Amino acid sequence: MTASIRPEAGQIAPDFTLPALITDPLTLSTLRGRNVVLYFYPKDNTPGCTTESIDFSTALADFDAANTVIVGVSRDSIKKHQNFAAKHDLTVELAADVDGEVTEAYGVWVEKKMYGKTHMGIERATFLIDAEGVIKEVWSKVKVKGHVEAVLEAARAL
């Protein structure tokens, strides 16, 4: 697989259907009428991904009050998502993009370098999608600290 083009603010969010923990299967277009925070993260049970997912879970009621659904996506399996959610008391929806089609469609499957080696992986990124399915904001190369607060502020402004 190669890196793909990332959709930008103002474009319609690419639709998808994925297996998920709460609503299985989860189809993005069925969430119309509500805003959607679609956050991509590299891997279950890694430090940054765990903190981000816990932070989104902690703020779930605030997002709900802003008419916003939260969906986390990684290439981990549903079984790994189940274990991840149970271990950390996560309450956000987690979807499994095992074949990588959605990470490709959103342009977050990128070349990464670690310890001098190059490999393909998910770049931590978040898309805020409005109730009509239009991408309103994109956060790339997300730093976890303070991220959920910034996304919540943007969701409240929709």
Side-chain angles (χ1 to χ4, degrees):
M1 288 187 193
T2 58
S4 54
I5 305 293
R6 180 160 309 164
E8 299 174 358
Q11 295 179 317
I12 296 291
D15 199 15
F16 62 83
T17 300
L18 288 175
L21 290 185
I22 301 166
T23 305
D24 183 32
L26 174 84
T27 300
L28 182 64
S29 58
T30 63
L31 300 175
R32 294 268 165 87
R34 298 196 71 193
N35 306 317
V36 177
V37 169
L38 185 62
Y39 75 98
F40 291 90
Y41 64 97
K43 197 159 184 55
D44 291 346
N45 286 307
T46 55
C49 300
T50 300
T51 299
E52 184 178 27
S53 295
I54 289 170
D55 288 352
F56 272 122
S57 289
T58 300
L60 193 60
D62 293 325
F63 279 99
D64 197 44
N67 192 37
T68 304
V69 178
I70 301 170
V71 179
V73 178
S74 79
R75 294 186 64 174
D76 290 307
S77 68
I78 281 293
K79 183 69 178 153
K80 285 185 179 177
H81 281 345
Q82 288 169 335
N83 294 338
F84 181 47
K87 181 176 180 180
H88 301 288
D89 296 320
L90 303 178
T91 53
V92 293
E93 177 68 278
L94 297 177
D97 184 30
V98 176
D99 65 10
E101 285 183 23
V102 178
T103 53
E104 288 271 339
Y106 280 83
V108 298
W109 186 247
V110 299
E111 190 174 271
K112 296 173 129 186
K113 289 185 182 348
M114 184 181 282
Y115 306 119
K117 295 188 190 283
T118 302
H119 67 282
M120 295 300 288
I122 293 177
E123 176 189 302
R124 190 181 312 281
T126 302
F127 295 79
L128 177 60
I129 303 163
D130 74 10
E132 284 78 48
V134 176
I135 297 171
K136 295 312 241 180
E137 199 158 341
V138 179
W139 291 265
S140 299
K141 297 181 181 173
V142 167
K143 301 291 181 241
V144 174
K145 186 169 176 51
H147 178 61
V148 169
E149 292 81 2
V151 175
L152 179 58
E153 186 177 317
R156 284 177 170 152
L158 290 182

